[in-house]
Amino acid sequence: MNTTRIQNTLETLFQDSARWLHPGRRVVFWYDPEQQFTSSFNELQLEGVEKLQLADTAFTVKYHLLVEQPTQAFLLYAPFPEPAPQENWLLDIQKSGLTFSADPAALIYADLGLRSRRLEIVIREHDKFFKSRKRTEALQAMGISPDSDERGLLLAMLSVLAGLKVPDAGTLIRRVLLGGLLESDNVLWSDIERFISPEAFWEVVQEHTDFPKQNPSLNKLFVQLLITHFAKSLHGTIPPQLANQVITPGQRAYAFIDQWMRDQQDSLGWKILSSEVAEQLHIFDAIENLEPEVLFEAASFEVVDKVLIRTCVKTLQMQMRQQITELTPWRTWLQARHTLIWFPQYEKIYQALEAAIALLEFKQQYPEGFRQPAPLLFKAYASDLHSFDQAYRHFIVKSDDAQGDILKGLIDDVENLYTQWFLDSLGEAWSDALSEEGKGEKGKILPPASSPLPLSWELEGIASQTRFFGRHVFPILERSDREKVFVIISDALRYEVASELQEVIKKEVRGETSLEAQLGVLPSVTRLGMAALLPGSKLELIPSDDDVRLDGLSTKGALARQKVLNQNSRVEATVLSAKDLLEMNTDEGRAAVQPYRLIYIYHNVIDAIGDQASSERQVLSACKTAISELLRLVKKICNSINGTNVIITADHGFLYQRRPIQEADKQPLPSGEAVLESKRRYLLAREQLNDSTLLHFSLPYTENGTVAIVPRGSLRFAVQGVGAQFVHGGASLQEVCVPVITYHHQRAVKGDEGPARKVGVQVSARVRRVTNNRFTLTLVQSDAVEGRWRSRQITVAFYDPQTNTPITDVRGANLSSTSPHPSDREINLRLTVTTANPPSNVYLIVKDADDESELLRETWAVSLGIANDFGDF
């Protein structure tokens, strides 16, 4: 045996306070029955330690230690076997000290800093394990407690085989199961059999999960753990064919699976094993008839989501075709799925189902339909009825994104509900209300005439789009000669989309936001709607002309509108495109608006998609894009170019249904010399037509008695060509209820908490150095999720500073802890270096997963050459 190794071990033994049960002087006994280490003993030089070879009587030694040198540390070398306790006259001193041996097992025992002599025997019994220096050093690096018993030592040894850095029963069992449920193909299981023993592993399993040891197997273990977790998740009784697989009492088994499911590193492997067991035990057949109130919080098997989704679809279809019942429980049940492990795979389906539930609940609120006077119906649409259009949009967008055909039948039923009940019923009620409203002052019917007079396109108590500038823009310009006004006009920004945008603005930026509705122009087309939003007194619509004049000036195109703004607003004004402004940096943006007090910004996403027959199918998803871009625009105006007053409006809305328009939904297109202009949703004519099925309106911005003629409800004129699903120009509420969002930005002041923000993130590490190919990075969520602080999804990786490419895998994490204690908000991410020769200095970059903005960038050193396989940093 190497004397230096003995010297180092003894020095550690004397100096390590953790190995001693008392603070007094330290005495180590060294028995060497075969006298192999006499020369090594003589060569030892231990500072502060007196060496003493036992040869004299025990009484002489005892007197020397207790009377002559009561505080001196001693190494007592006995070149003979350890006496039996009843014959050992130095037993009292030996019991207060430590015993040392120089054989390999004893040295390992000493290196591990253990106290129980029984563990030296355990080490000898597992000599195959300790023949590997790598395994022995890994075990020593774990720093196991000196008071560990046999179970603790065996757990640490098993953990080394599993590649763990600390003894952990749960992670050990997880690693073994992830190696495969068939022992013959499980490499880690083979190592356990070779270097330790299956019995040791099953002891750990029983203690940690309560799994019984009778005839154990890995497959049986995982099946029973999973079924137990499933049983504990149910709000009812588990199916009888599965009941014999439940572990009792089951709390530990449930906690084990629950922790595994939530582990970002191992959850994918868990999903694979869960799916294997689901197929093996025919779980779908066992649970397909369970009620949703029993299943809704269970997530042990993916088929639970499939069963719930199928049941929900059938329920909604039945309710759409028959009497609607209470839907609130389904809202609760679907909401519960959001935080469960399989939700991301079915998120779009769940969101579509929630939108369908909203549609049905909405219908329940209007059993008598929508009939009321036109001004009240207009206000009802602005306050509430637009929510149906919004829910329909959400359903269509999410069902488009959903995988599979599970929603196919429900989509047809939703189309029926939307087109045949909502659009038809609301459109009919609105057409009738307009007819009554326009007959005469205060609803009085005018005397009979040779032909009925056209209806007047105005509503009592409802602001007209033609008064937009005077009502919303001019008062801001009047109250101060310094204030700027930013007017964003988003083409075809329907009222229900603006309502969603307003809610997003409230959450994302600081300020006061309001939304109101105004009656759009008729026909509800871009050239007229854009002109109506400009300052001026006389609006002139000329049929079959792309232009509309305002006080004699053209309003066609950006330059013409800028000329109108400068002439009629009495302030310096400019016109920008939203696309150009979003692409400008801060300095460019400020320079573009600095000379002006009035800035009109034109945004075109929805109409650009909807007006093309090839892309109109994507118009509802384009609404989401529009919301995102408009929010970015507001943030840029207020945060980068110091804007305060922002007004968002539209030229018109639109009608859209996913189902292709049938011939029954089309109105024959009138023709003749009287017709001046014809489109799918309106006609302009010199005079009224002899057709009582059409609505005729006199317009204040046309001359020579020009009349706007529209079909009732949501009908289209039978115009040749494709592209009839997205339309505007008519008088439906979806087309003419035009939104006006007014936003006033507020700057931060002392003591003000400010707008909602996402939580931050920090790194917890003593040194910024990577020393292993696999390592753990600890992140700390800087704020608890509460109040204005929102959760955040992040990605984490190390990057090559030259190529900006990752040198490790890119890991994701969810910063969502609500705990006030920073220690509870720690997140450990296991990263692996994926580059063969990484640079010596790299960047650790943490990004927001939503917009990929950098939250943190640090320089770290890479020193893989000095690492062992089991360290961290």
Side-chain angles (χ1 to χ4, degrees), residues 233-297:
S233 304
L234 296 176
H235 290 264
T237 305
I238 191 168
Q241 61 266 48
L242 303 176
N244 64 339
Q245 303 279 16
V246 176
I247 299 170
T248 55
Q251 286 83 355
R252 292 182 179 181
Y254 176 87
F256 172 80
I257 293 293
D258 194 63
Q259 184 178 7
W260 189 352
M261 291 167 62
R262 297 175 187 277
D263 186 276
Q264 290 188 336
Q265 180 177 341
D266 291 339
S267 61
L268 178 58
W270 176 88
K271 286 182 176 181
I272 295 172
L273 294 178
S274 171
S275 298
E276 289 179 8
V277 171
E279 184 176 353
Q280 172 187 334
L281 299 183
H282 306 288
I283 297 296
F284 183 88
D285 296 336
I287 70 171
E288 64 175 334
N289 293 321
L290 289 181
E291 296 297 328
E293 58 263 34
V294 174
L295 283 174
F296 76 96
E297 284 192 315

Side-chain angles (χ1 to χ4, degrees), residues 628-834:
S628 177
E629 287 192 7
L630 291 169
L631 176 64
R632 286 176 55 207
L633 206 53
V634 171
K635 287 183 175 180
K636 189 174 190 72
I637 290 169
C638 298
N639 297 334
S640 298
I641 56 181
N642 299 323
T644 299
N645 303 296
V646 181
I647 302 171
I648 305 172
T649 188
D651 50 350
H652 54 76
F654 63 87
L655 271 174
Y656 178 81
Q657 65 182 63
R658 173 55 58 85
R659 176 180 292 165
I661 304 300
Q662 305 299 314
E663 290 303 316
D665 300 321
K666 295 179 181 179
Q667 184 97 1
L669 181 66
S671 60
E673 295 182 358
V675 177
L676 303 173
E677 181 176 323
S678 59
K679 300 292 181 181
R680 292 190 188 277
R681 284 288 292 160
Y682 74 93
L683 303 175
L684 292 178
R686 293 189 178 91
E687 59 188 27
Q688 293 188 87
L689 303 180
N690 187 23
D691 190 338
S692 60
T693 66
L694 302 176
L695 297 178
H696 298 71
F697 294 94
S698 62
L699 304 177
Y701 27 81
T702 59
E703 296 182 350
N704 303 321
T706 302
V707 177
I709 304 170
V710 298
R712 295 175 64 85
S714 58
L715 294 174
R716 279 81 159 161
F717 286 124
V719 176
Q720 292 295 321
V722 295
Q725 289 159 262
F726 173 89
V727 291
H728 57 86
S732 72
L733 284 165
Q734 289 85 353
E735 296 166 284
V736 300
C737 183
V738 176
V740 179
I741 298 176
T742 302
Y743 174 71
H744 183 77
H745 188 60
Q746 294 177 342
R747 309 293 172 192
V749 295
K750 187 176 181 181
D752 184 2
E753 283 192 342
R757 296 174 58 187
K758 293 181 180 180
V759 295
V761 61
Q762 300 172 344
V763 177
S764 177
R766 291 191 300 272
V767 293
R768 266 50 176 174
R769 180 181 293 114
V770 178
T771 59
N772 297 281
N773 285 320
R774 297 188 69 203
F775 58 95
T776 300
L777 180 70
T778 301
L779 301 176
V780 180
Q781 178 184 318
S782 57
D783 309 280
V785 176
E786 62 175 354
R788 68 186 178 119
W789 295 106
R790 304 287 187 263
S791 61
R792 184 195 295 270
Q793 294 280 343
I794 60 171
T795 60
V796 183
F798 285 81
Y799 290 80
D800 187 318
Q802 299 300 320
T803 63
N804 201 35
T805 56
I807 67 147
T808 67
D809 48 351
V810 179
R811 298 297 309 278
N814 183 25
L815 305 180
S816 59
S817 174
T818 59
S819 173
H821 308 295
S823 59
D824 294 337
R825 301 199 297 267
E826 289 186 353
I827 298 174
N828 294 319
L829 296 179
R830 188 77 163 175
L831 294 173
T832 301
V833 177
T834 56

Side-chain angles (χ1 to χ4, degrees), residues 315-368:
T315 302
L316 293 177
Q317 286 184 286
M318 289 175 60
Q319 292 179 345
M320 285 185 183
R321 298 168 187 174
Q322 301 173 12
Q323 183 64 35
I324 298 175
T325 58
E326 178 60 45
L327 292 169
T328 302
W330 271 109
R331 277 197 173 276
T332 302
W333 298 333
L334 297 185
Q335 190 66 33
R337 308 306 296 175
H338 285 219
T339 59
L340 302 180
I341 189 169
W342 303 102
F343 177 74
Q345 292 173 235
Y346 298 97
E347 181 177 5
K348 305 304 182 185
I349 295 178
Y350 279 126
Q351 290 173 338
L353 293 176
E354 289 167 350
I357 290 171
L359 291 172
L360 284 167
E361 288 179 331
F362 185 91
K363 185 180 179 182
Q364 286 181 310
Q365 298 173 26
Y366 293 89
E368 305 299 325

Side-chain angles (χ1 to χ4, degrees), residues 25 58 93 318 383 431 461 595 601 646 781:
R25 64 94 170 262
I93 298 177
M318 289 175 60
S383 63
S431 296
I601 302 166
V646 181
Q781 178 184 318

Side-chain angles (χ1 to χ4, degrees), residues 571-647:
V571 298
E572 291 296 317
T574 190
V575 167
L576 298 172
S577 79
K579 183 177 182 294
D580 290 345
L581 183 56
L582 286 173
E583 290 176 352
M584 294 178 187
N585 61 34
T586 298
D587 290 339
E588 291 170 339
R590 289 178 178 176
V593 304
Q594 192 277 328
Y596 308 103
R597 289 191 59 208
L598 179 59
I599 301 95
Y600 264 50
I601 302 166
Y602 290 95
H603 176 257
N604 188 8
V605 169
I606 299 172
D607 200 71
I609 296 295
D611 260 348
Q612 301 296 320
S614 60
S615 61
E616 69 172 346
R617 184 179 175 85
Q618 284 76 49
V619 70
L620 296 185
S621 60
C623 294
K624 182 178 180 181
T625 304
I627 290 172
S628 177
E629 287 192 7
L630 291 169
L631 176 64
R632 286 176 55 207
L633 206 53
V634 171
K635 287 183 175 180
K636 189 174 190 72
I637 290 169
C638 298
N639 297 334
S640 298
I641 56 181
N642 299 323
T644 299
N645 303 296
V646 181
I647 302 171

